[in-house]
Amino acid sequence: MAEQPQSLSDFAEHCLFNGDIEQKLVLTHQARQLLDNGLLSLQTDRAVLPICNTVFPSRPKLLMPREMPKRRLDSNEGKAAFFHALAHIEFVAIYLAWDIIYRFPGLPDDFYRDWLIIADEEAQHFELIRTHLLGLGSDYGDLPAHRGLWSHAEETSDDILARLAIVPRCMEARGLDVTPGMMDKLVAIDDQPGLAILQRIYDDEVGHVERGSYWFNNLARQRGMEPEHCFKDLILNYFKGKPKGPFNREVRIIAGFSNNEIDWLEERLHE
């Protein structure tokens, strides 16, 4: 690294356009520490590089979701594949948090503060899962991973409302629906360390989705839009349909969804 980042956008640029995993984790934690100590400049007017320039590590090999092999949890290889997939989700989530900071200038300081805290928590999640994965005799990058999450970032790179609707309020909110079932599977195979990691991630992700909901609603209203209608339009436009349920209503309400939004998600699309 040629020079120490000075501002939040410097940190974001270093993390998004360099594939070094260890450096990305260190810089993310450094930025959070500077934020906590009031030593980080949050606003910038620098030019933003295109999202297609984003640099990922050379490993893992990225496949389309349909090309990913299916594995069962009842073998060591299956457990390793399960936690490798989770590690990849959390690793890409670091990029997603940094990209929303970097790509959308001119928002309130609290927006950038929220997403830096999220980036730091995603980095902690990745480190926890990676340590567990190493205990299973594997490391991040040893297995293929899917590129689905990042493709949604690319599709919404020019619209902050679309990014908030599709990434935290659709893709990440899906984790609120499916993680309890994943935790049940770890209980069944008595993986207590893995279960504790998933519980920590689940608890934090409720807050991450809530921040997505808060800023989506706030920015939609600032633009003179009705948030629920705007959310529905963006989902239908960018998601090419609707996300699949079932939906964890109780937790989604905590994470900032309205009952009307969840009712709409649960309705069958008319052909």
Side-chain angles (χ1 to χ4, degrees), residues 31-136:
R32 170 69 187 276
Q33 189 171 28
L34 289 171
L35 176 76
D36 289 346
N37 292 328
L39 299 174
L40 189 62
S41 170
L42 297 175
Q43 293 289 342
T44 180
D45 56 3
R46 70 190 297 164
V48 173
L49 296 171
I51 198 167
C52 61
N53 289 15
T54 307
V55 177
F56 288 90
S58 58
R59 299 167 68 242
K61 179 182 179 182
L62 297 181
L63 305 176
M64 293 305 291
R66 65 179 176 274
E67 299 169 336
M68 291 293 294
K70 306 291 186 202
R71 292 186 175 92
R72 293 167 58 90
L73 259 178
D74 55 5
S75 68
N76 196 69
E77 293 77 13
K79 282 177 65 176
F82 174 80
F83 282 103
H84 189 277
L86 284 181
H88 182 65
I89 290 168
E90 297 302 320
F91 186 69
V92 174
I94 304 170
Y95 275 87
L96 292 170
W98 276 119
D99 191 74
I100 203 170
I101 288 168
Y102 177 75
R103 196 151 305 285
F104 301 102
L107 295 170
D109 281 358
D110 282 347
F111 178 91
Y112 302 112
R113 189 174 290 109
D114 283 346
W115 250 270
L116 175 52
I117 291 169
I118 289 171
D120 184 58
E121 289 178 351
E122 303 291 16
Q124 293 175 47
H125 298 167
F126 174 76
E127 289 164 328
L128 287 169
I129 299 170
R130 191 181 190 187
T131 298
H132 193 58
L133 193 57
L134 288 167
L136 296 170

Side-chain angles (χ1 to χ4, degrees), residues 86 89-94 96-97 115 118-119 121-126 129 149 167-169 171-177 179 197-213 251-252 254-257:
L86 284 181
I89 290 168
E90 297 302 320
F91 186 69
V92 174
I94 304 170
L96 292 170
W115 250 270
I118 289 171
E121 289 178 351
E122 303 291 16
Q124 293 175 47
H125 298 167
F126 174 76
I129 299 170
L149 262 177
V167 176
R169 302 200 83 220
M171 303 310 296
E172 292 183 282
R174 185 69 186 137
L176 306 183
D177 305 325
T179 302
I197 293 170
L198 251 67
Q199 185 66 59
R200 158 72 193 282
I201 292 172
Y202 184 62
D203 292 343
D204 287 347
E205 292 296 341
V206 175
H208 299 177
V209 177
E210 187 278 329
R211 289 291 84 193
S213 296
V251 176
R252 279 181 177 253
I254 296 168
F257 283 81

Side-chain angles (χ1 to χ4, degrees), residues 12-28:
E13 196 162 283
H14 278 75
C15 288
L16 290 168
F17 303 104
N18 184 329
D20 187 291
I21 294 175
E22 306 302 334
Q23 189 179 106
K24 199 180 313 293
L25 298 170
V26 167
L27 287 174
T28 300

Side-chain angles (χ1 to χ4, degrees), residues 153-204:
E154 293 170 330
E155 291 165 3
T156 58
S157 63
D158 61 351
D159 184 344
I160 182 60
L161 288 176
R163 173 67 64 87
L164 290 166
I166 300 303
V167 176
R169 302 200 83 220
C170 183
M171 303 310 296
E172 292 183 282
R174 185 69 186 137
L176 306 183
D177 305 325
V178 302
T179 302
M182 293 159 55
M183 290 193 285
D184 288 343
K185 292 180 180 179
L186 294 184
V187 170
I189 62 171
D190 196 29
D191 183 353
Q192 295 301 319
L195 179 63
I197 293 170
L198 251 67
Q199 185 66 59
R200 158 72 193 282
I201 292 172
Y202 184 62
D203 292 343
D204 287 347

Side-chain angles (χ1 to χ4, degrees), residues 243-256:
K244 293 179 181 178
F247 302 98
N248 189 340
R249 181 179 291 265
E250 180 181 357
V251 176
R252 279 181 177 253
I253 292 293
I254 296 168

